[in-house]
C-alpha cells in the first residue's frame, strides 16, 4: 500500500502543472517585483542597478503621500460602511421569523456578482455632474446641494470609496450571516432566560462570537482600501490632478504610461509590504481568536 | 429569537431601514435596466427615474449589432470556460498528490502554493504582463487563461484540501486491492467524490474570470478582438451623451449571466464566494 501511494511518476505528473503555473505567473512575479524595484528599467532595454533610488524618489514625491492618505481614507470608508450595515442586516435576516428574509439576502448580495466595470460605469452615470441621476434626484426634491461628485479635490476619493463599499457590502454581509449560522442557539436561549433583550443578546453573544469572522472582514476591507485601483482607473483617472491617486494607480501609471518599470515596481513592493503589515497587525490584535474558537468547538463557554 | 416577533415601534423603524437599503442596493440596477430601454430624450428630460414610457428594444439590437457585444460575450465565455478547466485540472491533480499520496516535502509544497492567497493581483500586474509577453502568449486567449488559472490555484487547492481530508483512507486501499492503478483510482474513485468542492470552485472561478478587470485591462486592453465584457463595457466611456440606451443595454447584457447564476445557485454562490474566509482565516 505504501508503495502504491508513493508512486514517484504519479506524484511528479500530478504536481507539475500546478507548481509550474504558480511558479511562473505568481511566485516568480513577486520575486521580480522586489528585485527590479532596485533597477532603473524601461521594460525592454537593460536594467541598470540604482540601489534604493526608486524608493527614495517614491517616498519624497508628494503623490506618494496623497496615495497613502487616499488608501487610508478608502479603507476607513469601506470598513466602517460595510461592517456597520453588514452586521445589522446579517443579524436581522438571521432571525428565522423575519418576513422577506430571502428577498433581503438576495437584494444585498446582488451587487457582489456584478462586474466591477459595470458598477463603475453605472455609478459614473449616477454621479455625473450634469446628467447624473443623483443630481437630478436632488433637483427633483428641490434641494440645491447638487455637486460635481467625482470632480471635487477633497470629496472624490470618498465618492469612489462609497462605490466600492456599495458593491462589496453584500460580501461581508454573507460572511457574517454564515458566521451567525454557526453559533449555537443555546447561547440565545440562555440569554433569554437571563432576561436579556434581543439587542443585548446580540451585543454580548453574537458580536464576540464572531471574532473569527470579523478578523476576515477587516482583513478584506483594510487591504482592499490599500489596494484600491479599479474605481480610480475607470471613474476619475486619478484626478482631478493627482487627488485620487493610490499606490496601485501610481504603479500602473509609472509602468504603463511613463514606462518607468523600476519606479512602478517600488510602488508595488510598498503595496505588498503595507498589506503584509495589515495582516500581521490584525493577527496580533485578534491573536486569541483561535483559542476561543477551539474552546467553542470543545463545547466550553467562550 | 422569539422576542422580536412582537412588532414594536423600534422593530418597525428597523424594518423600514432594511427596505430602504434594499432600495439603495437594487435601484441603481433597475435604473440601468430602465434606461437600457429608453431613448436619450426620456433618460435626460422627460422621465429619468421610472419605467420606460415606450420600450426601446432597439437599444439591445444596437448593442448587439453595432458595438461588438457578441464578440465580447464570446471572449468572456471562452476565457471563463478555459480558466475553469485549467484550474480544476491542475488543482485536482495537485491536491490529490499532496493529500493522499505519501512523499517527503508534500507539506512544504502545499504551503508554497497557499502563499498565493496573500499576494495581491495588483502588485504582480507588471511582471505578469512581461511573463506573458516572453512566453509569446500576447494576442491569444491563453494570455488571460493561464494567469487567471495561476492566480486561482491557491484558493482552489485549499478548498479541495479541506474536502480530501474528509475522505476515508480505505477508499484507496479498496481500489488497490481490486487491482486499480493509481490513475484509475484517482479518476474513477476520488475525483467523483469531491464533486461538491468542484462545483464550488467552478462557480467561484467562473464568476471571478467573467468579471476580472485589472489583468484583462493590461493584457488585452489594446487587442480589440480579445476584449472581454468588462473591457467592452468601457467602450462607452467618455461618450455618454451619444447613446446611453445602448450603453445601458450592453451593461445589462454583461450582467445577466452573473445575476442568473446567482439567482439559480444563490446558496452555492454565497458559499463559493465566502469560503475564502475559512481557508484564509
Amino acid at each position: 500500500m505504501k508503495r502504491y501511494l508513493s508512486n514517484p511518476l504519479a506524484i511528479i505528473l500530478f504536481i507539475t502543472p500546478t507548481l509550474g503555473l504558480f511558479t511562473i505567473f505568481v511566485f516568480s512575479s513577486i520575486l521580480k517585483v522586489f528585485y527590479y524595484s532596485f533597477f532603473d528599467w524601461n521594460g525592454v532595454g537593460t536594467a541598470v542597478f540604482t540601489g534604493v533610488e526608486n524608493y527614495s524618489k517614491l517616498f519624497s514625491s508628494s503623490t506618494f503621500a496623497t496615495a497613502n492618505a487616499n488608501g487610508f481614507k478608502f479603507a476607513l470608508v469601506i470598513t466602517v460602511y460595510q461592517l456597520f450595515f453588514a452586521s445589522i442586516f446579517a443579524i436581522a435576516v438571521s432571525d428565522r421569523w423575519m418576513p422577506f428574509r430571502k428577498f433581503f439576502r438576495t437584494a444585498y448580495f446582488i451587487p457582489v456578482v456584478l462586474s466591477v466595470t459595470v458598477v463603475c460605469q453605472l455609478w459614473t452615470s449616477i454621479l455625473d455632474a450634469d446628467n447624473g441621476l443623483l443630481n437630478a434626484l436632488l433637483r427633483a426634491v428641490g434641494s440645491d446641494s447638487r455637486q460635481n461628485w467625482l470632480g471635487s479635490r477633497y470629496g472624490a476619493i470618498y465618492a469612489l470609496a462609497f462605490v466600492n463599499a456599495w458593491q462589496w457590502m453584500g460580501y461581508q454581509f454573507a460572511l457574517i450571516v454564515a458566521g451567525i449560522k454557526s453559533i449555537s442557539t443555546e447561547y440565545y436561549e440562555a440569554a433569554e432566560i437571563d432576561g436579556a433583550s434581543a439587542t443585548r443578546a446580540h451585543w454580548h453573544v453574537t458580536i464576540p462570537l464572531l471574532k473569527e469572522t470579523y478578523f476576515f472582514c477587516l482583513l478584506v476591507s483594510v487591504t482592499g482600501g490599500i489596494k484600491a485601483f479599479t474605481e480610480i482607473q475607470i471613474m476619475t483617472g486619478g484626478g482631478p490632478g493627482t487627488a485620487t491617486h493610490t499606490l496601485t494607480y501610481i504603479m500602473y501609471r509609472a509602468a504603463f504610461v511613463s514606462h518607468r518599470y523600476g519606479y512602478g515596481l517600488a510602488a508595488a513592493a510598498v503595496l505588498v509590504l503595507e498589506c503584509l503589515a495589515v495582516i500581521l497587525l490584525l493577527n496580533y490584535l485578534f491573536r486569541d481568536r483561535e483559542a476561543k474558537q477551539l474552546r467553542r468547538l470543545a463545547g466550553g463557554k467562550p | 429569537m422569539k422576542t422580536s416577533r412582537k412588532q414594536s415601534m423600534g422593530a418597525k423603524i428597523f424594518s423600514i431601514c432594511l427596505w430602504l437599503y434594499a432600495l439603495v442596493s437594487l435601484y441603481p440596477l433597475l435604473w440601468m435596466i430602465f434606461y437600457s430601454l429608453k431613448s436619450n430624450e426620456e433618460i435626460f428630460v422627460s422621465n429619468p427615474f421610472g419605467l420606460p414610457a415606450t420600450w426601446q428594444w432597439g437599444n439591445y439590437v444596437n448593442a448587439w449589432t453595432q458595438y461588438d457585444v457578441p464578440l465580447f460575450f464570446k471572449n468572456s465565455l471562452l476565457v471563463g470556460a478555459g480558466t475553469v478547466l485549467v484550474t480544476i485540472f491542475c488543482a485536482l491533480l495537485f491536491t490529490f498528490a499532496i493529500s493522499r499520496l505519501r512523499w517527503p516535502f508534500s507539506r512544504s509544497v502545499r504551503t508554497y502554493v497557499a502563499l498565493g492567497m496573500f499576494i495581491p493581483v495588483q502588485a504582480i500586474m507588471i511582471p505578469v504582463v512581461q511573463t506573458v509577453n516572453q512566453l509569446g502568449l500576447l494576442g491569444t486567449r491563453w494570455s488571460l487563461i493561464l494567469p487567471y488559472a495561476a492566480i486561482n490555484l491557491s484558493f482552489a487547492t485549499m478548498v479541495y484540501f479541506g474536502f480530501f481530508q474528509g475522505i476515508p483512507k480505505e477508499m484507496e486501499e479498496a481500489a488497490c486491492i481490486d487491482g486499480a492503478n493509481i490513475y484509475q483510482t484517482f479518476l474513477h474513485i476520488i475525483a467523483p467524490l469531491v464533486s461538491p468542492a468542484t462545483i464550488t470552485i467552478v462557480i467561484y472561478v467562473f464568476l471571478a474570470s467573467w468579471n476580472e478587470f485589472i489583468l484583462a485591462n493590461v493584457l488585452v486592453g489594446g487587442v480589440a478582438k480579445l476584449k472581454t465584457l468588462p473591457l467592452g463595457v468601457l467602450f462607452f466611456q467618455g461618450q455618454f451623451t451619444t447613446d446611453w440606451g445602448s450603453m445601458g443595454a450592453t451593461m445589462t447584457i454583461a450582467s445577466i449571466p452573473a445575476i442568473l447564476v446567482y439567482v439559480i445557485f444563490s446558496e452555492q454562490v454565497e458559499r463559493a464566494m465566502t469560503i475564502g474566509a475559512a481557508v484564509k482565516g
Side-chain angles (χ1 to χ4, degrees), chain B residues 45-57:
Chain B
V45 189
S46 56
N47 176 22
F49 310 117
L51 279 165
T54 45
W55 296 57
Q56 308 280 343
W57 291 105

PDB file of all heavy atoms in Angstrom, chain B residues 45-57:
ATOM      1  N   VAL B  45     -34.590  64.059 -20.077  1.00  0.00           N
ATOM      2  CA  VAL B  45     -35.558  65.132 -19.920  1.00  0.00           C
ATOM      3  C   VAL B  45     -36.868  64.676 -19.293  1.00  0.00           C
ATOM      4  O   VAL B  45     -37.182  65.007 -18.149  1.00  0.00           O
ATOM      5  CB  VAL B  45     -35.857  65.826 -21.279  1.00  0.00           C
ATOM      6  CG1 VAL B  45     -36.684  67.082 -21.050  1.00  0.00           C
ATOM      7  CG2 VAL B  45     -34.559  66.138 -21.999  1.00  0.00           C
ATOM      8  N   SER B  46     -37.592  63.835 -20.009  1.00  0.00           N
ATOM      9  CA  SER B  46     -38.970  63.627 -19.590  1.00  0.00           C
ATOM     10  C   SER B  46     -39.129  62.625 -18.449  1.00  0.00           C
ATOM     11  O   SER B  46     -40.018  62.762 -17.619  1.00  0.00           O
ATOM     12  CB  SER B  46     -39.820  63.210 -20.798  1.00  0.00           C
ATOM     13  OG  SER B  46     -39.259  62.066 -21.398  1.00  0.00           O
ATOM     14  N   ASN B  47     -38.258  61.607 -18.389  1.00  0.00           N
ATOM     15  CA  ASN B  47     -38.534  60.528 -17.442  1.00  0.00           C
ATOM     16  C   ASN B  47     -37.249  59.857 -16.964  1.00  0.00           C
ATOM     17  O   ASN B  47     -36.959  58.731 -17.336  1.00  0.00           O
ATOM     18  CB  ASN B  47     -39.466  59.516 -18.146  1.00  0.00           C
ATOM     19  CG  ASN B  47     -39.741  58.304 -17.300  1.00  0.00           C
ATOM     20  OD1 ASN B  47     -39.603  58.338 -16.079  1.00  0.00           O
ATOM     21  ND2 ASN B  47     -40.107  57.221 -17.947  1.00  0.00           N
ATOM     22  N   PRO B  48     -36.441  60.557 -16.144  1.00  0.00           N
ATOM     23  CA  PRO B  48     -35.160  59.956 -15.763  1.00  0.00           C
ATOM     24  C   PRO B  48     -35.269  58.796 -14.774  1.00  0.00           C
ATOM     25  O   PRO B  48     -34.408  57.932 -14.746  1.00  0.00           O
ATOM     26  CB  PRO B  48     -34.371  61.122 -15.144  1.00  0.00           C
ATOM     27  CG  PRO B  48     -35.343  62.205 -14.894  1.00  0.00           C
ATOM     28  CD  PRO B  48     -36.606  61.922 -15.626  1.00  0.00           C
ATOM     29  N   PHE B  49     -36.315  58.743 -13.968  1.00  0.00           N
ATOM     30  CA  PHE B  49     -36.314  57.785 -12.840  1.00  0.00           C
ATOM     31  C   PHE B  49     -37.106  56.503 -13.058  1.00  0.00           C
ATOM     32  O   PHE B  49     -36.702  55.454 -12.593  1.00  0.00           O
ATOM     33  CB  PHE B  49     -36.843  58.458 -11.570  1.00  0.00           C
ATOM     34  CG  PHE B  49     -36.183  59.764 -11.264  1.00  0.00           C
ATOM     35  CD1 PHE B  49     -36.913  60.944 -11.261  1.00  0.00           C
ATOM     36  CD2 PHE B  49     -34.826  59.815 -10.996  1.00  0.00           C
ATOM     37  CE1 PHE B  49     -36.297  62.152 -10.986  1.00  0.00           C
ATOM     38  CE2 PHE B  49     -34.195  61.017 -10.721  1.00  0.00           C
ATOM     39  CZ  PHE B  49     -34.940  62.193 -10.722  1.00  0.00           C
ATOM     40  N   GLY B  50     -38.231  56.591 -13.750  1.00  0.00           N
ATOM     41  CA  GLY B  50     -39.179  55.481 -13.723  1.00  0.00           C
ATOM     42  C   GLY B  50     -39.040  54.487 -14.861  1.00  0.00           C
ATOM     43  O   GLY B  50     -38.048  54.466 -15.591  1.00  0.00           O
ATOM     44  N   LEU B  51     -40.086  53.641 -14.983  1.00  0.00           N
ATOM     45  CA  LEU B  51     -40.168  52.673 -16.070  1.00  0.00           C
ATOM     46  C   LEU B  51     -40.227  53.408 -17.408  1.00  0.00           C
ATOM     47  O   LEU B  51     -40.728  54.520 -17.470  1.00  0.00           O
ATOM     48  CB  LEU B  51     -41.439  51.836 -15.915  1.00  0.00           C
ATOM     49  CG  LEU B  51     -41.405  50.672 -14.924  1.00  0.00           C
ATOM     50  CD1 LEU B  51     -42.827  50.210 -14.635  1.00  0.00           C
ATOM     51  CD2 LEU B  51     -40.595  49.534 -15.498  1.00  0.00           C
ATOM     52  N   PRO B  52     -39.709  52.771 -18.470  1.00  0.00           N
ATOM     53  CA  PRO B  52     -39.774  53.427 -19.777  1.00  0.00           C
ATOM     54  C   PRO B  52     -41.215  53.640 -20.224  1.00  0.00           C
ATOM     55  O   PRO B  52     -42.067  52.778 -19.987  1.00  0.00           O
ATOM     56  CB  PRO B  52     -39.080  52.432 -20.711  1.00  0.00           C
ATOM     57  CG  PRO B  52     -38.458  51.406 -19.857  1.00  0.00           C
ATOM     58  CD  PRO B  52     -39.096  51.446 -18.525  1.00  0.00           C
ATOM     59  N   ALA B  53     -41.485  54.783 -20.862  1.00  0.00           N
ATOM     60  CA  ALA B  53     -42.828  55.037 -21.395  1.00  0.00           C
ATOM     61  C   ALA B  53     -43.024  54.244 -22.681  1.00  0.00           C
ATOM     62  O   ALA B  53     -44.019  53.560 -22.859  1.00  0.00           O
ATOM     63  CB  ALA B  53     -43.022  56.527 -21.628  1.00  0.00           C
ATOM     64  N   THR B  54     -42.041  54.354 -23.565  1.00  0.00           N
ATOM     65  CA  THR B  54     -42.056  53.492 -24.752  1.00  0.00           C
ATOM     66  C   THR B  54     -40.804  52.629 -24.688  1.00  0.00           C
ATOM     67  O   THR B  54     -39.704  53.138 -24.508  1.00  0.00           O
ATOM     68  CB  THR B  54     -42.027  54.312 -26.062  1.00  0.00           C
ATOM     69  OG1 THR B  54     -41.043  55.339 -25.919  1.00  0.00           O
ATOM     70  CG2 THR B  54     -43.381  54.931 -26.360  1.00  0.00           C
ATOM     71  N   TRP B  55     -40.998  51.338 -24.775  1.00  0.00           N
ATOM     72  CA  TRP B  55     -39.876  50.406 -24.585  1.00  0.00           C
ATOM     73  C   TRP B  55     -39.044  50.324 -25.858  1.00  0.00           C
ATOM     74  O   TRP B  55     -39.504  49.838 -26.876  1.00  0.00           O
ATOM     75  CB  TRP B  55     -40.426  49.026 -24.195  1.00  0.00           C
ATOM     76  CG  TRP B  55     -41.143  49.058 -22.881  1.00  0.00           C
ATOM     77  CD1 TRP B  55     -42.211  49.861 -22.560  1.00  0.00           C
ATOM     78  CD2 TRP B  55     -40.849  48.291 -21.723  1.00  0.00           C
ATOM     79  NE1 TRP B  55     -42.582  49.647 -21.263  1.00  0.00           N
ATOM     80  CE2 TRP B  55     -41.766  48.679 -20.712  1.00  0.00           C
ATOM     81  CE3 TRP B  55     -39.884  47.315 -21.432  1.00  0.00           C
ATOM     82  CZ2 TRP B  55     -41.749  48.121 -19.444  1.00  0.00           C
ATOM     83  CZ3 TRP B  55     -39.878  46.753 -20.176  1.00  0.00           C
ATOM     84  CH2 TRP B  55     -40.802  47.164 -19.191  1.00  0.00           C
ATOM     85  N   GLN B  56     -37.788  50.784 -25.738  1.00  0.00           N
ATOM     86  CA  GLN B  56     -36.910  50.843 -26.908  1.00  0.00           C
ATOM     87  C   GLN B  56     -36.069  49.571 -27.004  1.00  0.00           C
ATOM     88  O   GLN B  56     -34.883  49.589 -26.666  1.00  0.00           O
ATOM     89  CB  GLN B  56     -35.973  52.054 -26.803  1.00  0.00           C
ATOM     90  CG  GLN B  56     -36.647  53.374 -26.548  1.00  0.00           C
ATOM     91  CD  GLN B  56     -37.226  53.968 -27.815  1.00  0.00           C
ATOM     92  OE1 GLN B  56     -36.864  53.553 -28.909  1.00  0.00           O
ATOM     93  NE2 GLN B  56     -38.140  54.913 -27.668  1.00  0.00           N
ATOM     94  N   TRP B  57     -36.681  48.476 -27.461  1.00  0.00           N
ATOM     95  CA  TRP B  57     -35.886  47.239 -27.574  1.00  0.00           C
ATOM     96  C   TRP B  57     -34.773  47.406 -28.600  1.00  0.00           C
ATOM     97  O   TRP B  57     -33.807  46.647 -28.605  1.00  0.00           O
ATOM     98  CB  TRP B  57     -36.795  46.068 -27.959  1.00  0.00           C
ATOM     99  CG  TRP B  57     -37.717  45.710 -26.852  1.00  0.00           C
ATOM    100  CD1 TRP B  57     -39.052  45.986 -26.775  1.00  0.00           C
ATOM    101  CD2 TRP B  57     -37.389  45.044 -25.629  1.00  0.00           C
ATOM    102  NE1 TRP B  57     -39.572  45.536 -25.586  1.00  0.00           N
ATOM    103  CE2 TRP B  57     -38.562  44.948 -24.859  1.00  0.00           C
ATOM    104  CE3 TRP B  57     -36.198  44.518 -25.097  1.00  0.00           C
ATOM    105  CZ2 TRP B  57     -38.609  44.363 -23.601  1.00  0.00           C
ATOM    106  CZ3 TRP B  57     -36.236  43.930 -23.843  1.00  0.00           C
ATOM    107  CH2 TRP B  57     -37.434  43.858 -23.103  1.00  0.00           C
TER     108      TRP B  57
END
